[in-house]
Amino acid sequence: MKKQRRIIAGLILLFVILSIIPACAKDINIGIVYDKRQTKALEENVDLRLKYRNAIEKNGGKVIVLSVLDDNKTTAEKLGKIDGLLVPGGADVDPGRYGDSPHQHLEEVDMALDKYEFELLGYCIRHSIPILAICRGHQILNVFMGGSLYQDIPIQHKSDKKVTHRIRKKGESQICFHGIVVSEDSLLYKLHKKKQMNVNSLHHQAIKKPGKDLKITAHTDDGIIEGIEGTGDQFIVGVQFHPEKMRIKKPEWNKLFKAFVDEAKKWKKKERQ
Ligand code: MN
């Protein structure tokens, strides 16, 4: 009897393992970058990247936490698993990365994060892994591609037309909204079929000189670049606004995440099988 039970238990275990393996193999793994503070918070079960995580998970992706605190071996292992890279919002990019000296209105920078994200971007570009870059992500992607940034829009960007890209109240940044003009030759247009859209805005830096192999896909009336895409076959999309926040009230913003996860799925099918 005991032997029989052991055999049954063994068979059940084998069945469970066999059913898990294909499920894992089917996962579309999207790496999301976590900085030092976000990694520490996650250890306490507080996910400061929850809106990005939800946007990926609700659209068919599985999140892999790419932490700036990971050692080289862990980073290499995780990069070997991802099918897409999401570079999210955050601190200012060190102007030294684009050959500029710090302006007095430059805010918090995180050089370790700059270095880490450069490594991730380099890997994903070498391997044609789909990239979705949001806010700071969109800016560092541009810098990685050889472009530059305005360190502070109100001080450094001159325009006859006034567009507010961030509201500051009592030292706190607050989100605001503005229109964008979308070019027809873009993923944003393909997804939304709109030449003009209203988007949120929470940034004081912006792209100055676009990097190589990038095209501008959206801008505001004051000429600030709000969308970029790669000119090649690889899925490389950058947006200055925050679709991960907008999708909560406007489900149409799931389309961008869905398109990204679908591309990751295609990449996986092509590259990993
Ligand atoms: Mn803006």
Side-chain angles (χ1 to χ4, degrees), residues 58-74:
K58 293 275 160 46
N59 288 287
K62 184 172 180 286
V63 172
I64 289 198
V65 173
L66 298 172
S67 168
V68 70
L69 299 181
D70 286 342
D71 57 29
N72 291 343
K73 188 172 166 270
T74 309

Side-chain angles (χ1 to χ4, degrees), residues 199-250:
V199 296
N200 56 12
S201 193
L202 185 67
H203 60 112
H204 83 116
Q205 299 209 316
I207 292 176
K208 188 177 180 182
K209 186 189 107 188
K212 69 174 169 55
D213 303 327
L214 293 173
K215 62 180 178 183
I216 297 161
T217 57
H219 62 87
T220 37
D221 285 343
D222 60 349
I224 290 294
I225 297 169
E226 294 269 340
I228 51 172
E229 281 174 32
T231 53
D233 291 336
Q234 184 182 357
F235 182 101
I236 300 177
V237 176
V239 289
Q240 184 56 74
F241 47 89
H242 288 274
E244 82 285 359
K245 292 183 201 281
M246 287 194 286
R247 63 171 278 281
I248 298 164
K249 282 187 183 164
K250 294 181 177 170

Side-chain angles (χ1 to χ4, degrees), residues 23 37 74 93 136 171 174 185 206 214 223 230 238 240 243 254:
R37 186 174 63 97
T74 309
V93 178
R136 166 196 159 84
Q174 287 188 1
D185 175 25
L214 293 173
Q240 184 56 74
N254 280 302

Side-chain angles (χ1 to χ4, degrees), residues 24 28 38 52 62-63 99 111 113 133 143 155 197 252:
C24 290
I28 309 304
Q38 292 148 3
Y52 295 99
K62 184 172 180 286
V63 172
M111 291 191 188
L113 185 65
V143 173
I155 301 291
M197 299 185 82
E252 73 215 54

Side-chain angles (χ1 to χ4, degrees), residues 17-164:
I17 291 169
L18 286 177
S19 56
I20 288 170
I21 292 169
C24 290
K26 269 186 209 158
D27 285 340
I28 309 304
N29 294 322
I30 306 293
I32 301 183
V33 183
Y34 282 62
D35 70 11
K36 190 177 167 184
R37 186 174 63 97
Q38 292 148 3
T39 305
K40 297 276 184 203
L42 200 59
E43 285 165 9
E44 306 290 322
N45 290 319
V46 177
D47 193 348
L48 299 171
R49 292 306 204 197
L50 191 61
K51 288 194 175 79
Y52 295 99
R53 176 186 289 272
N54 286 342
I56 291 303
E57 289 178 349
K58 293 275 160 46
N59 288 287
K62 184 172 180 286
V63 172
I64 289 198
V65 173
L66 298 172
S67 168
V68 70
L69 299 181
D70 286 342
D71 57 29
N72 291 343
K73 188 172 166 270
T74 309
T75 298
E77 280 168 9
K78 287 182 179 178
L79 284 174
K81 283 184 195 156
I82 65 166
D83 309 306
L85 173 69
L86 195 161
V87 194
D92 288 355
V93 178
D94 169 22
R97 289 268 172 195
Y98 47 92
D100 210 349
S101 49
H103 188 275
Q104 64 177 43
H105 281 77
L106 180 73
E107 295 174 5
E108 181 198 355
V109 293
D110 183 341
M111 291 191 188
L113 185 65
D114 291 348
K115 182 173 177 279
Y116 180 60
E117 288 184 337
F118 259 53
E119 283 168 20
L120 302 178
L121 286 166
Y123 180 90
C124 290
I125 285 172
R126 280 196 303 279
H127 293 86
S128 301
I129 296 175
I131 298 167
L132 177 61
I134 293 174
C135 198
R136 166 196 159 84
H138 154 98
Q139 294 166 2
I140 201 160
L141 166 67
N142 183 63
V143 173
F144 180 82
M145 300 298 270
S148 67
L149 303 178
Y150 291 112
Q151 291 184 44
D152 187 67
I153 300 168
I155 301 291
Q156 294 187 323
H157 176 68
K158 303 289 171 231
S159 171
D160 296 340
K161 292 190 178 140
K162 173 91 185 118
V163 174
T164 303

